[in-house]
Amino acid sequence: MAHRVCPWWIGYLLASPLRRWLGQDPVKILSPYIREGMTVLEPGPGMGFFTIPLARLVGSSGRVIAVDLQTKMIEGLKRRSVKTNLLDRIDARVTSAETMGVSDLEGTVDFTLAFAMVHEFPDAGRFFAEVARASKQNARVLLAEPRGHVREEGFVAELKAAATAGLVATERPGIPRSLAALLVKN
Ligand SMILES: C[S@@+](CC[C@H](N)C(=O)[O-])C[C@H]1O[C@@H](n2cnc3c(N)ncnc32)[C@H](O)[C@@H]1O
């Protein structure tokens, strides 16, 4: 599996509303899982295609912690958060390749969105272990990978790494152009 990190300028394309016309409507994808007041973790948000709708869905009593390896992605995300007046609900952090730096969240996260990013992470086992530690009991994780970059066998390997960390697949939701699974923390 490749671990090449998506170039920062692709962040502009990924955040484009045109993506909805390709079938990836963030509200449709996320609203079954999000309630007001939730704490949501979003590793690898890019410039925030999903982060802005997530922040709207959690409402003023919720928060979204978005952690990305690339400073330029986080800068773009912050600009979009300011424009949409949602910066107070979004904790946008630059992280390192070694750790997501979310140990302060231990046991507090209700939902994690890992969209099109685990295949870029150097070690899926370490990724899911960090997510599991940050999650509450029974918290859910929506994992989605682009079909163009990840094959079914690679996705199955990610699901195995998730299960080892205590995040078990319960559903395979249909998301256009993606391999997806809903995981639950045991
Ligand atoms: C293909 S983009 C997907 C962006 C966003 N999730 C979306 O679907 O629009 C992958 C993102 O993951 C980030 N990323 C890659 N490796 C990472 C790591 N080890 N920790 C945090 N973010 C990472 C990249 O910088 C990039 O913003």
Side-chain angles (χ1 to χ4, degrees), residues 5-6 10 14-15 19 42-47 49-50 67-70 73 95-97 100 115-117 119-122:
V5 173
C6 139
I10 298 277
L14 290 171
R19 200 166 155 193
E42 191 191 9
M47 292 192 187
F49 180 71
F50 289 101
V67 296
D68 204 290
L69 194 60
Q70 300 188 76
M73 294 292 196
T95 181
S96 73
M100 287 195 285
F115 206 103
M117 63 78 56
H119 65 283
E120 294 188 10
F121 208 88

Side-chain angles (χ1 to χ4, degrees), residues 94-142:
V94 179
T95 181
S96 73
E98 286 69 45
T99 171
M100 287 195 285
V102 292
S103 55
D104 59 313
L105 302 180
E106 188 166 343
T108 65
V109 169
D110 296 290
F111 178 83
T112 297
L113 176 69
F115 206 103
M117 63 78 56
V118 175
H119 65 283
E120 294 188 10
F121 208 88
D123 179 343
R126 185 162 52 76
F127 171 79
F128 287 114
E130 284 195 60
V131 170
R133 245 192 322 275
S135 299
K136 290 179 181 170
Q137 209 64 29
N138 299 319
R140 298 198 279 186
V141 178
L142 181 61

Side-chain angles (χ1 to χ4, degrees), residues 2-184:
H3 299 300
R4 200 174 66 88
V5 173
C6 139
W8 67 267
W9 52 268
I10 298 277
Y12 288 106
L13 300 179
L14 290 171
S16 160
L18 291 176
R19 200 166 155 193
R20 288 200 194 100
W21 297 353
L22 300 174
Q24 293 189 347
D25 177 341
V27 173
K28 205 168 155 190
I29 292 170
L30 299 168
S31 53
Y33 314 113
I34 310 293
R35 298 287 170 266
E36 283 203 14
M38 277 188 167
T39 297
V40 172
L41 173 63
E42 191 191 9
M47 292 192 187
F49 180 71
F50 289 101
T51 322
I52 302 295
L54 276 170
R56 289 201 178 101
L57 287 166
V58 298
S60 55
S61 56
R63 66 178 180 139
V64 181
I65 302 95
V67 296
D68 204 290
L69 194 60
Q70 300 188 76
T71 307
K72 286 198 161 143
M73 294 292 196
I74 290 296
E75 284 171 355
L77 168 56
K78 282 189 174 164
R79 278 195 300 274
R80 298 183 79 234
S81 314
V82 169
K83 274 190 198 153
T84 49
N85 210 16
L86 289 164
L87 189 60
D88 59 334
R89 298 178 199 178
I90 299 173
D91 175 356
R93 306 177 180 181
V94 179
T95 181
S96 73
E98 286 69 45
T99 171
M100 287 195 285
V102 292
S103 55
D104 59 313
L105 302 180
E106 188 166 343
T108 65
V109 169
D110 296 290
F111 178 83
T112 297
L113 176 69
F115 206 103
M117 63 78 56
V118 175
H119 65 283
E120 294 188 10
F121 208 88
D123 179 343
R126 185 162 52 76
F127 171 79
F128 287 114
E130 284 195 60
V131 170
R133 245 192 322 275
S135 299
K136 290 179 181 170
Q137 209 64 29
N138 299 319
R140 298 198 279 186
V141 178
L142 181 61
L143 168 67
E145 289 285 46
R147 282 189 184 276
H149 291 289
V150 178
R151 290 170 193 263
E152 183 65 36
E153 58 267 30
F155 193 69
V156 168
E158 289 182 7
L159 293 181
K160 275 192 189 148
T164 302
L167 301 168
V168 177
T170 56
E171 284 174 44
R172 291 288 301 263
I175 299 178
R177 296 160 186 274
S178 309
L179 296 164
L182 185 69
L183 317 175
V184 175

